[in-house]
Amino acid sequence: MLLKRLLLLTLATLTPPAFSAELPRIATDHGRHALFVDGKPFLILGAQVNNSSNWPAALDEVWPAIDKLHANTVQVPIAWEQIEAKEGQFDFSFLDTLVGQAREHHVRLILLWFATWKNNGPSYAPSWVKLDDRRFPRVHDREGKRLNSLSPLATATLEADRKAFVQLMTHLRQIDGDRHTVIMVQVENEAGTYGSDRDHSPMADKIFGGPVPQELLRATGKSPGSWSQVFGNDAAEFFHAWHVAHFIGQVAAAGKAVYPLPMYANAALRDPFEPGMPGSYESGGPTDNVLHVWKAAAPALDVLGPDIYRPDYRHYSTYLERYARKDNPLFVAETGNAPVYARYVYAALGARAIGWSPFGMDFTRYSNYPLGARKLDDATLETFAANYRVLAPMVGELAAAAHAGKLWGAAEPDDTHEQTLDLGNWQVRLGYGQLQFGTEPPKGNPERTSGALFAQLGDNEYLVVGRDVRVSFLPARGRKVDFLLDRVEEGHYENGQWVFRRLWNGDQTDWGLNFTGEPQVLRVRLATY
């Protein structure tokens, strides 16, 4: 009897907990996407820590920044070398610490699996992997030079990575399957290869001369043939993209079989206007020209997310357009932490992103300048925190509006100071750098941190969030009506409920709705007469 009790106790300890609440998931309806957490629409107001902040002692310099930022989700690396320094021996103590402290700080987590790929290379793989080139071979370029990028064609590498990831997801389910502190997982980091369009090892050359997989033929509508026959000049890059994506897709699928959280891959981006040759950018990764290849090769991935480090409006808005697709939820997985980037949370959410996350948001004194800020001081952090303070209490309302196709937004452009957004029956004209009173034309804001967001609540009723912008409502083009701002309430959301503070009228509405450098939210009702 005692032996039976001990056996039952052991089984109870090893058996993962049942899911007591709805798992995080991504829902798609008519090409519109939403992330659901605890059964409700959710927006990721994110913050990614620096690469080496994934150790218990470093968390003391993470949480003060996160608390000041008012982020609701933190992205933190989990390194393969960290959990399996010796093959077959696993240590999840940091994950346990991280999850516990995230709960104390009332934030969600996204885990970043740094394994076979971290920015092209295996730097976060264990030594027993990255030092054994015979068992875990690297990519070779056309001249036969060995590059510091593991080949996606090596079965041993896939099996070892997949095994470790399954162990990670198994442990995560055991400690978090009933709480869902962790809401998504990134599988690898900026996968692909610099310095070559594909692996040119003898093993890779043999496979390259073989047939294109049927799944990719179906996705592209192509007839059978070898890679060169089917894809011509794009063959090498498509080949590498397929195999990198297929590798990562198999890792993700195995992890989901244990604990089916949403999973995604992030992209080191190529220039959309002057891309150069594959290898000058990270060939094989989910760049904008091979998203269809990745979708076919890795159906287990829910999202392909851009890492955007171009602060100019032309590049940033183009990246948002190319990754916001009917078959791909937009998630800005990383972006710069210099103040000029703060405005783009409005544009990203207006493009109906499920989330947006600046990189390097901790106080460990590292800076990736010139990609981001020279220094993450309180003033820089406040540029982002001001937006999050207003948006965080209303993420449910904004996410629901986005899923319904009723959310619009804009960031201040670089070369023009006016924009017009189409909201259906209404338009809004945005003027940046205008006086709050009078008709002086907009001159632009010197800091370029401005933006606006509009969520339709009902017929002729909108939530409006703005920062350093004048908002003027107009009838839709071709619609001739007499109208007025019937009611403009200033307030905020608290526990999902609108809390009224005061009405705007008179000078506060005669010249449009004039938002200052401190973001605010208004509830606006229009009426015709």
Side-chain angles (χ1 to χ4, degrees):
M1 179 64 70
L2 178 60
L3 181 61
K4 184 176 181 181
R5 287 180 180 176
L6 289 173
L7 179 60
L8 290 172
L9 179 61
T10 301
L11 289 173
T13 303
L14 294 176
T15 301
F19 302 132
S20 62
E22 183 179 329
L23 274 170
R25 63 184 176 90
I26 292 176
T28 298
D29 182 22
H30 294 89
R32 300 188 297 268
H33 314 282
L35 171 64
F36 282 77
V37 175
D38 294 338
K40 301 175 183 178
F42 185 80
L43 282 180
I44 296 165
L45 301 179
Q48 185 168 152
V49 303
N50 284 300
N51 292 166
S52 300
S53 297
N54 60 328
W55 296 94
L59 293 177
D60 291 341
E61 296 172 290
V62 168
W63 300 122
I66 300 305
D67 292 343
K68 287 185 176 182
L69 182 61
H70 298 274
N72 63 21
T73 307
V74 186
Q75 296 166 288
V76 182
I78 299 291
W80 187 1
E81 65 177 356
Q82 190 175 27
I83 70 165
E84 195 185 7
K86 293 183 178 181
E87 186 171 6
Q89 298 180 24
F90 293 93
D91 178 2
F92 298 107
S93 56
F94 172 68
L95 178 60
D96 295 341
T97 299
L98 175 65
V99 169
Q101 292 190 16
R103 291 172 181 169
E104 292 173 3
H105 288 267
H106 308 289
V107 295
R108 305 285 182 165
L109 292 170
I110 295 174
L111 302 185
L112 314 177
W113 176 235
F114 285 9
T116 296
W117 286 280
K118 198 284 174 186
N119 299 53
N120 157 92
S123 56
Y124 282 80
S127 295
W128 57 269
V129 172
K130 59 191 172 189
L131 299 181
D132 189 349
D133 202 57
R134 183 180 298 274
R135 183 180 172 194
F136 307 106
R138 284 168 165 77
V139 168
H140 290 72
D141 68 10
R142 288 182 184 274
E143 286 70 44
K145 178 184 176 182
R146 184 174 57 181
L147 304 177
N148 190 30
S149 183
L150 295 179
S151 174
L153 298 165
T155 302
T157 309
L158 171 61
E159 290 177 349
D161 190 325
R162 181 168 54 194
K163 177 183 175 183
F165 188 67
V166 166
Q167 292 294 319
L168 172 67
M169 295 304 296
T170 299
H171 185 80
L172 180 62
R173 173 173 172 161
Q174 290 171 345
I175 66 168
D176 197 45
D178 60 342
R179 296 282 294 273
H180 311 142
T181 309
V182 177
I183 58 173
M184 284 210 301
V185 179
Q186 177 184 294
V187 189
E188 313 296 341
N189 187 82
E190 293 187 358
T193 301
Y194 290 108
S196 183
D197 52 6
R198 67 170 177 89
D199 185 4
H200 288 271
S201 67
M203 169 182 63
D205 284 345
K206 183 178 179 180
I207 298 172
F208 183 71
V212 173
Q214 286 295 320
E215 298 95 327
L216 187 54
L217 293 175
R218 285 195 295 269
T220 57
K222 300 285 188 179
S223 299
S226 70
W227 287 89
S228 293
Q229 291 169 339
V230 175
F231 295 116
N233 292 335
D234 294 323
E237 184 176 12
F238 283 19
F239 173 83
H240 200 45
W242 171 269
H243 287 288
V244 172
H246 192 52
F247 180 115
I248 295 174
Q250 290 178 83
V251 173
K256 279 187 165 185
V258 172
Y259 187 26
L261 291 178
M263 296 189 185
Y264 73 97
N266 62 328
L269 303 175
R270 66 177 197 155
D271 191 304
F273 308 115
E274 298 179 4
M277 298 299 292
S280 64
Y281 57 86
E282 198 168 22
S283 182
T287 49
D288 62 283
N289 58 319
V290 294
L291 294 179
H292 63 298
V293 177
W294 271 73
K295 288 292 180 181
L301 294 175
D302 301 280
V303 179
L304 303 175
D307 292 352
I308 309 180
Y309 290 98
R310 294 294 295 265
D312 64 284
Y313 182 84
R314 179 172 177 248
H315 276 89
Y316 210 107
S317 58
T318 299
Y319 289 133
L320 295 180
E321 290 170 4
R322 295 197 180 181
Y323 282 83
R325 296 162 43 123
K326 290 184 177 181
D327 65 349
N328 188 63
L330 176 61
F331 173 44
V332 180
E334 295 180 26
T335 196
N337 65 355
V340 70
Y341 286 97
R343 58 181 161 161
Y344 290 117
V345 67
Y346 297 103
L349 298 186
R352 293 157 193 174
I354 63 170
W356 184 84
S357 187
F359 173 83
M361 305 304 271
D362 62 42
F363 290 143
T364 56
R365 298 174 298 284
Y366 175 78
S367 165
N368 69 347
Y369 178 84
L371 296 182
R374 284 185 179 271
K375 180 182 179 182
L376 188 70
D377 54 20
D378 285 343
T380 299
L381 196 65
E382 175 58 24
T383 310
F384 295 85
N387 294 328
Y388 279 11
R389 274 197 301 272
V390 172
L391 297 172
M394 50 194 286
V395 292
E397 288 71 23
L398 296 176
H403 197 209
K406 301 295 184 181
L407 187 67
W408 302 267
E412 181 174 3
D414 298 324
D415 301 323
T416 183
H417 310 310
E418 288 186 290
Q419 292 169 305
T420 300
L421 298 182
D422 182 359
L423 311 188
N425 285 335
W426 303 97
Q427 299 179 82
V428 284
R429 181 180 298 146
L430 308 179
Y432 299 99
Q434 277 185 286
L435 297 176
Q436 295 185 41
F437 187 91
T439 59
E440 183 178 37
K443 297 179 179 179
N445 295 300
E447 300 300 326
R448 294 285 192 276
T449 57
S450 312
L453 198 62
F454 304 85
Q456 185 172 358
L457 300 178
D459 290 342
N460 305 322
E461 188 171 0
Y462 297 87
L463 284 177
V464 183
V465 182
R467 182 176 192 173
D468 265 333
V469 62
R470 175 183 288 188
V471 174
S472 302
F473 277 87
L474 301 167
R477 289 183 179 88
R479 185 179 181 221
K480 297 184 182 298
V481 294
D482 293 318
F483 79 100
L484 49 74
L485 297 174
D486 185 36
R487 187 174 178 86
V488 179
E489 296 183 6
E490 177 188 322
H492 66 276
Y493 270 86
E494 192 173 298
N495 299 320
Q497 299 296 317
W498 174 252
V499 178
F500 170 85
R501 181 172 183 265
R502 63 168 178 163
L503 284 180
W504 281 22
N505 211 328
D507 288 344
Q508 281 66 55
T509 59
D510 288 347
W511 305 101
L513 306 176
N514 290 278
F515 293 86
T516 65
E518 183 65 29
Q520 289 180 286
V521 57
L522 303 176
R523 190 164 181 160
V524 178
R525 186 172 69 219
L526 300 116
T528 59
Y529 61 91

